Each structure stands twice: as C-alpha cells, then as structure tokens.
Amino acid sequence: MEFDHILIRYGELFIKGKNRKYFERKLQSNLIKKLKEFNNVRVSKKRDRMYVLLNGEDPYQVMNKCQLVFGIHTLSFAIKVEKDADVIKQAALAALQDSPEARTFKVSAKRADKEFPIRSQDLNQLIGGYVLSNTEGITVNVHHPDVELKVEVRNDAAYITAQDYPGAGGLPVGTTGNSLLLLSGGIDSPVSGYLTLKRGVELEAIHFHSPPYTSERAKQKVLDLASELSKYGNKIKVHIIPFTAIQEKIHRETPEGYSMTIMRRMMMRISAQIAKQQEILSLTTGESLGQVASQTMESMNAINEVTNLPIIRPLAAMDKLEIIGVSRKINTYDLSVLPYEDCCTIFVPKAPKTKPTREKASYYESTVEFSQDIADAIEQSYIVEVNGNEESKDEFEDLL
C-alpha cells in the first residue's frame, strides 16, 4: 500500500472568518500553478483540508514543491482508504512501515463522520493492537513517539498519515495586495522580498542600473535573484531604471555628506511614480535599522519625506546574522555575495551624514534641477519578466 495523497493543513487561514473561502481558493490556485509540471496531479479542497492527489507521480518531488507555497502550515503523505475498520488497520500498518527506523508510535484517530460506528478512542485501541501484533521491536509511546499515526475518518473516506512536514507558513501570495520591491543585488533586499511574499503580497521589483559603473553581470545577478524569489510566488516584473545621469549629478552638484540621502530620496521618488503607473500601493525595502548610514532613524525619516506610499520594511528589527540565515535558507545568499558593483556601492561618500534632516536635504535638492532627469529615467526604463517556475497557463483553471 503506497501513499496516494498529500494532505495539506492550513495555518493562519483559520482566523479569516467570512473571507476564508477567498484565501482557500487562492491557495488552491497557487498550488495548481506550482504543480503543473506533474501532469497527473490534482488538487481538491474539502472542509478544513486540501488534498493533492498524486495519481502515480513521485510523492517526494511533489512534496518539495508544495513546501514552497505560502499559506500551508503542515503537510503529510496520506493513504486514502474506504471506511472499513480492517482496511484502515492495514493502511495504518503500511504507513508505519514506511518509517523503518521508527521504534515507537501512537495512534490519533479523529472521527469527523459521526455516522462511522467506531468511536475515536476505540479506533485508537483497535489500530494500536493491530500494529503491535504485526510488528516486532515496536512499542507504544503516547508522549514522544517516533511516528504518530493520524487517522481521519471523514465523510468521503478515511485518511491515514504518519509524519508531518513543515509548510512555508504565511498567507497565499496574491491575497494581501501588491508592492514594489527595491532590489539592489545585496543580501538584504531579496530576504525582504521573501518575507513580504510570505505575508501574501504580490511583488514587482525595481532595480537602479548605473552603467558603466555597474556591469551587465550586476544586472543579471539582480534578475537571477528575482527569479529565485519568484519560486515562492508568481512571475516577477523587474523594472530596470537607468540611473547613471542622476547619480553623476548628485555626486557632482550636492554636498558629499548628503549625497547618499539625496540618492535614496531620488530612488523613492522614481519608485513611487513607477508604483503609481503599475497601480501598486506600497514600496518594500531591505532596510535594517542601524545597519548603515542610510538606515538610521534620522536617515529613514529624511528619505521617507518624498513619498506618502506605505513602506514595508520586514528587516527593520532583524540583525545581520538573522538576515543571512534567511538568505541561505531561500538560496539567495550565494548570488547576493557575487562581487559585482551595484549603484549603492559607487560614489560612496567618505563621511555620509548619519543624522540628516529633511530641511537640509530639501534645500540641497532645490539647488539642483532633477525633475527632467527623473522624467528621463522613467521614460527610458524597461521591464524584464522573470519566472523561476514554468509559465502558468489559464488551462489549469479548469482543475479548480
């Protein structure tokens, strides 16, 4: 007897009240897109659960894909059988034998179908006795078992699982709006994008490119990072902004100590305009409070002045080691540390202001004409679409 399903349990979706069905439909849609390379797989939704029907596909490959989808708390391989006590006992034994290293177990039966004639506690004892009589060297441990055999008797069938696997958590991508991620190519901004996706936000990205000071390889690194991020959601549009003229003017015509603050304000202005064009309601940055000169409280206050869009800063309260830990987990660290210059690492002032003021930043900007440069940069920008998954097709909607 082999596992023929993957059982999916929700986490935070349980608290969504009357909106819960909307979140469940989005999770189902995201799962179908994620698993479309498996031709035989089907995703079905029933009360409080979602099921991936394997139909002969490799269970472990499918499980690995499912674990990338936000909105899932835990997953388990499952055997679906008819609601017959003898069949359930045999399936439970087979599920335990799939973990040959196990030496202890417990049975947790749940009778959701109240018309099933055997009560949950009686079912525990029935299955436990059958397993003990058909194995050697295995005992019951109700507190810390190696394997917990879960038996759910539902209206349509009985489902037997033997091990829980962690899901990605969070909310289904696409359920909480959209945001424009300022993606530099360093360690922080991809992690920020990942954490924003985890809260159900659909992402587009914006990258400031300054040739010849920054190279094509630096730009490709950013596209590769966006591609990695897209594996946790959908394809991502990356807006490439030619930034050379603006950076040179800042370097040439503003006080050196304020050049970083003014550069960040220019990025925010351009990002806000691109967001408006794309009907995006927020910006996301990789800022971590106190990490560098542009990320002090005073700097963020001065930079924030130029936009009234909400700015999502998932890393604001994280330290560098925590951020690096997440970047390794999501496979962006090795890309991020490739030694290519980005626009934030060129024209770096020797002594940047760590406590800039809005008044001085505005005054220095007023002495230089930037409006045409900003308009030109937006006019010359272009979009590159990346997708670490395969293309999603509308034909998969018929599986819903």
Side-chain angles (χ1 to χ4, degrees):
M1 194 172 291
E2 296 180 350
F3 293 113
D4 50 14
H5 286 63
I6 292 175
L7 187 153
I8 290 173
R9 303 178 185 86
Y10 310 146
E12 206 172 325
L13 272 61
F14 273 115
I15 64 175
K16 294 304 177 186
K18 293 181 179 178
N19 294 323
R20 180 171 152 181
K21 288 185 178 179
Y22 164 71
F23 286 84
E24 290 178 351
R25 285 197 297 272
K26 193 62 183 175
L27 174 59
Q28 185 180 20
S29 172
N30 290 348
L31 268 170
I32 289 171
K33 290 177 181 176
K34 180 64 67 180
L35 300 176
K36 64 186 180 61
E37 68 187 83
F38 304 100
N39 293 328
N40 298 318
V41 158
R42 297 292 182 270
V43 180
S44 66
K45 180 168 65 66
K46 298 175 182 176
R47 182 177 174 78
D48 299 337
R49 294 284 190 270
M50 207 167 285
Y51 298 91
V52 177
L53 286 68
L54 294 169
N55 289 324
E57 299 285 0
D58 186 308
Y60 295 97
Q61 290 185 17
V62 176
M63 174 67 80
N64 289 339
K65 289 286 185 179
C66 289
Q67 286 182 293
L68 299 178
V69 179
F70 289 124
I72 297 174
H73 177 55
T74 60
L75 314 90
S76 298
F77 293 121
I79 302 173
K80 179 182 178 182
V81 297
E82 61 180 291
K83 294 185 291 184
D84 178 273
D86 289 336
V87 177
I88 291 173
K89 288 189 297 184
Q90 294 168 18
L93 177 62
L96 179 67
Q97 290 173 334
D98 193 63
S99 301
E101 72 285 357
R103 289 294 171 265
T104 60
F105 77 102
K106 68 179 285 189
V107 180
S108 300
K110 181 179 179 182
R111 189 182 58 145
D113 176 7
K114 299 305 180 187
E115 294 186 0
F116 186 71
I118 305 174
R119 299 174 64 177
S120 300
Q121 188 58 37
D122 295 336
L123 198 55
N124 285 341
Q125 296 176 4
L126 189 67
I127 295 170
Y130 182 80
V131 170
L132 287 172
S133 63
N134 287 278
T135 54
E136 293 183 359
I138 293 181
T139 60
V140 173
N141 183 333
V142 296
H143 299 294
H144 303 289
D146 295 332
V147 171
E148 181 178 5
L149 291 170
K150 294 181 180 178
V151 179
E152 293 188 17
V153 182
R154 305 181 76 84
N155 290 331
D156 63 321
Y159 295 86
I160 294 93
T161 65
Q163 185 174 354
D164 293 348
Y165 294 82
L171 296 170
V173 172
T175 56
T176 59
N178 55 13
S179 190
L180 184 64
L181 170 68
L182 278 69
L183 191 57
S184 68
I187 294 172
D188 298 347
S189 54
V191 173
S192 186
Y194 166 80
L195 294 175
T196 305
L197 286 166
K198 187 174 182 178
R199 295 311 302 161
V201 177
E202 196 87 54
L203 282 185
E204 293 189 20
I206 185 169
H207 175 66
F208 295 88
H209 186 46
S210 295
Y213 306 105
T214 59
S215 67
E216 286 298 309
R217 289 187 297 181
K219 184 175 69 179
Q220 185 59 48
K221 182 174 84 166
V222 168
L223 297 177
D224 291 341
L225 287 167
S227 180
E228 283 298 319
L229 284 178
S230 72
K231 294 177 181 176
Y232 298 93
N234 300 312
K235 59 188 175 185
I236 294 178
K237 290 181 180 177
V238 183
H239 300 263
I240 306 295
I241 308 295
F243 202 51
T244 307
I246 293 175
Q247 274 202 280
E248 288 179 334
K249 184 174 280 189
I250 293 170
H251 179 64
R252 189 172 59 244
E253 301 184 30
T254 64
E256 184 183 32
Y258 264 81
S259 62
M260 182 174 292
T261 304
I262 293 173
M263 182 188 74
R264 299 290 296 182
R265 285 163 63 102
M266 293 298 158
M267 289 178 170
M268 285 294 180
R269 286 190 174 93
I270 292 171
S271 298
Q273 292 195 39
I274 292 292
K276 183 178 181 181
Q277 289 177 1
Q278 302 295 314
E279 299 183 340
I280 294 172
L281 300 179
S282 68
L283 306 178
T284 296
T285 73
E287 292 164 305
S288 173
L289 189 59
Q291 187 178 121
V292 295
S294 65
Q295 296 171 17
T296 63
M297 195 67 79
E298 291 83 358
S299 288
M300 287 196 279
N301 178 265
I303 293 165
N304 239 109
E305 184 186 29
V306 301
T307 179
N308 58 9
L309 285 177
I311 298 178
I312 303 171
R313 295 184 172 94
L315 313 187
M318 294 175 67
D319 66 35
K320 195 66 179 182
L321 292 179
E322 290 175 308
I323 297 168
I324 289 174
V326 177
S327 73
R328 292 186 187 279
K329 171 187 168 185
I330 64 173
N331 296 320
T332 58
Y333 180 80
D334 289 341
L335 279 171
S336 291
V337 298
L338 291 175
Y340 307 136
E341 296 279 2
D342 63 55
C343 67
C344 295
T345 60
I346 60 176
F347 300 129
V348 177
K350 293 180 181 177
K353 288 289 183 183
T354 57
K355 296 183 179 180
T357 66
R358 290 184 170 190
E359 292 74 18
K360 286 188 176 180
S362 295
Y363 170 74
Y364 292 136
E365 285 178 355
S366 70
T367 65
V368 183
E369 169 54 48
F370 282 114
S371 57
Q372 188 58 51
D373 299 284
I374 291 174
D376 290 344
I378 293 173
E379 175 68 22
Q380 295 163 18
S381 69
Y382 57 96
I383 296 173
V384 179
E385 197 169 272
V386 297
N387 190 356
N389 309 292
E390 295 180 2
E391 290 293 328
S392 58
K393 302 289 186 184
D394 287 341
E395 61 260 30
F396 287 95
E397 292 179 357
D398 60 10
L399 298 178
L400 290 172

